[in-house]
Amino acid sequence: MDRERRSAIAPVAAVVVLGLVAAGCGGGGGGGNAAPVVNAGADLAALVGIALNLDATATDDGSPSGTLTTTWSRVSGPGNVLFGNAAAVDTTATFDAMGVYVLRLTANDGSASSVDDVTVTVGMAIDNTDAAFSVVEGTWDLSPTTDGNGCWGADFAYAYSTPPDPLARARFTLDLATVALYDISVYWSAAENRTAAQPIIVHDSSGTDHTYYVSLRRNGNEWFPLATLTLGPGSYIEFTTQTPSEGYCNADAVRLMPAGA
Ligand SMILES: [Ca+2]
Ligand SMILES: [Ca+2]
Ligand SMILES: [Ca+2]
């Protein structure tokens, strides 16, 4: 009853409203539809397999329809991108390969479209729980993050060293298909009972070993920048117990970020 009447009246009311809007913002006799305004956000960094938050904006003058449709898409990049909801302005993006990606947010008001791009540099974290981690020599035990000192992921591998104990080695195999420059960072669980000189050996693309020593007594629970090196097929990062400083040696996680792209 009421429903019938409303459906009969509604189209008329809509026409009247549209007429008023057109008259109100017209003035120039051209209809005056402004294109949507889109901002895809500032450039970002992400890690393979970990959802990245996209924070964008898309606005419109409400003409001609009041409906603004938005779509995220991948313009370029070495791998696939999975959007949490490609139609949402703010959503997530998950990448399946390292490299530099360009993502595009398109907004359409039914008549005009606008786009804006965001560049995302995607790196890779390798945890000691990943298949790319292996014990090469000696004994490494696992400690959970519940020891109160934190770590990357669920746990970390450790070996106690009293110099000159027998050598133990644990390796993160990088499994890179091509040669490129990377910023290398390392994560660890810091505490006073750790070694003050954890040896970390980076095997670069030319087969050269670069050895670094970091103190595991500070700078815990953050990505500590270790070096920028050219890496490729056959490259790996090893943690050893060949330390001049007594204490626990840790192998927790490593991270590569494409550099100089
Ligand atoms: Ca936003
Ligand atoms: Ca518009
Ligand atoms: Ca870990």
Side-chain angles (χ1 to χ4, degrees), residues 140 195-200 212-216 239-240 243 248-250:
W140 292 75
T195 176
Q198 168 65 56
I200 304 172
Y212 305 90
Y213 295 88
V214 297
S215 173
L216 301 186
F239 288 64
T240 83
T243 172
Y248 285 100
C249 293
N250 281 189

Side-chain angles (χ1 to χ4, degrees), residues 1-231:
M1 33 176 192
D2 202 357
R3 182 182 251 246
E4 262 175 44
R5 200 185 308 164
R6 193 174 289 175
S7 64
I9 291 170
V12 178
V15 169
V16 170
V17 170
L18 284 174
L20 284 174
V21 170
C25 67
N33 175 35
V37 177
V38 186
N39 185 336
D43 289 353
L44 296 167
L47 294 173
V48 167
I50 298 178
L52 168 73
N53 289 317
L54 298 172
D55 183 3
T57 58
T59 56
D60 190 50
D61 62 354
S63 180
S65 67
T67 300
L68 190 62
T69 306
T70 58
T71 311
W72 280 101
S73 58
R74 190 197 70 135
V75 176
S76 62
N80 296 311
V81 183
L82 181 67
F83 294 103
N85 177 2
V89 173
D90 291 337
T91 186
T92 58
T94 308
F95 306 83
D96 70 356
M98 275 199 295
V100 178
Y101 294 72
V102 175
L103 307 182
R104 174 166 296 171
L105 180 61
T106 302
N108 186 299
D109 67 5
S111 171
S113 279
S114 300
V115 302
D116 192 34
D117 294 347
V118 60
T119 299
V120 183
T121 302
V122 179
M124 174 177 68
I126 307 175
D127 196 10
N128 63 291
T129 54
D130 293 339
F133 178 80
S134 60
V135 172
V136 180
E137 196 173 340
T139 302
W140 292 75
D141 295 311
L142 291 177
S143 177
T145 181
T146 49
D147 71 350
N149 297 305
C151 62
W152 181 262
D155 57 24
F156 59 90
Y158 71 92
Y160 196 84
S161 180
T162 312
D165 271 1
L167 175 65
R169 294 187 294 148
R171 179 180 295 186
F172 294 86
T173 299
L174 303 180
D175 194 25
L176 301 171
T178 57
V179 173
L181 190 66
Y182 292 97
D183 290 324
I184 304 163
S185 299
V186 180
Y187 209 97
W188 62 80
S189 161
E192 280 304 315
N193 65 356
R194 317 291 200 244
T195 176
Q198 168 65 56
I200 304 172
I201 300 161
V202 182
H203 192 74
D204 74 11
S205 62
S206 69
T208 302
D209 286 336
H210 305 260
T211 303
Y212 305 90
Y213 295 88
V214 297
S215 173
L216 301 186
R217 295 174 187 174
R218 61 184 82 93
N219 300 316
N221 297 319
E222 61 186 45
W223 287 112
F224 183 84
L226 189 72
T228 299
L229 291 172
T230 302
L231 306 173

